[in-house]
Amino acid sequence: MPARTEPVTLGILRMPAREPAGPVNVIAFDTLKFARKLRENAHLTPEQAEGMADAMSEVFASGIPTKTDVADVRHDIEAFRVTTQADIVAVRHDIDALRLSTKADIATAKSDIIKWMFGMIGFQTVAILGAVVALVRSLH
């Protein structure tokens, strides 16, 4: 597996670049034999057969992941899974805290509304009584 020289982005996660864990396995690949088989059996043109043989050769030359590489990837996936689970727990805690805060804010708003309502009712009562007293005095 060739060494990555730049970080890889997976969705919102960034994996740091790392060197391969051990020697890279390379498979010997006979491009001439492969191209000949493609020409004979698949009836491809020589250009097509050679192009496919070159492409396959590049794939094999790029290296085959070792068991250590696979284990490293599994370890990285497990680390991301654990981190994600911890993040989910933290987000749930934040949601619960916001829910409680919102309930407290609603209760405070209700009590403020009730205070204002009784205050307005009291003011209207005083205003109406004042108007009635003024009307009664003006009639006498």
Side-chain angles (χ1 to χ4, degrees), residues 11-12 17 21 35-36 38 50 68 70 81 83 91 95 102 124 136:
I12 59 172
R36 191 177 325 125
L38 286 174
E50 289 172 12
T68 306
V70 173
R81 187 184 68 75
T83 302
V91 167
I95 289 172
T102 303
Q124 286 177 342
V136 169

Side-chain angles (χ1 to χ4, degrees), residues 113-134:
I113 290 171
I114 290 171
K115 286 178 192 175
W116 278 96
M117 292 288 291
F118 281 118
M120 292 303 293
I121 290 171
F123 175 75
Q124 286 177 342
T125 303
V126 170
I128 292 172
L129 286 176
V132 169
V133 168

Side-chain angles (χ1 to χ4, degrees), residues 27 29-31 34 38 49-62:
I27 295 176
F29 181 66
D30 186 357
T31 55
F34 183 69
L38 286 174
E50 289 172 12
M52 287 184 72
D54 289 342
M56 291 297 292
S57 177
E58 287 179 22
V59 167
F60 289 129
S62 67

Side-chain angles (χ1 to χ4, degrees), residues 5-23:
T5 56
E6 58 188 48
V8 176
T9 302
L10 300 173
I12 59 172
L13 303 174
R14 284 184 65 79
M15 292 180 59
R18 61 177 192 173
E19 297 297 319

Side-chain angles (χ1 to χ4, degrees), residues 80-101:
F80 282 128
R81 187 184 68 75
V82 168
T83 302
T84 303
Q85 285 179 342
D87 291 344
I88 289 171
V89 168
V91 167
R92 285 182 179 160
H93 182 278
D94 291 345
I95 289 172
D96 289 341
L98 285 171
R99 184 177 292 130
L100 292 175
S101 173

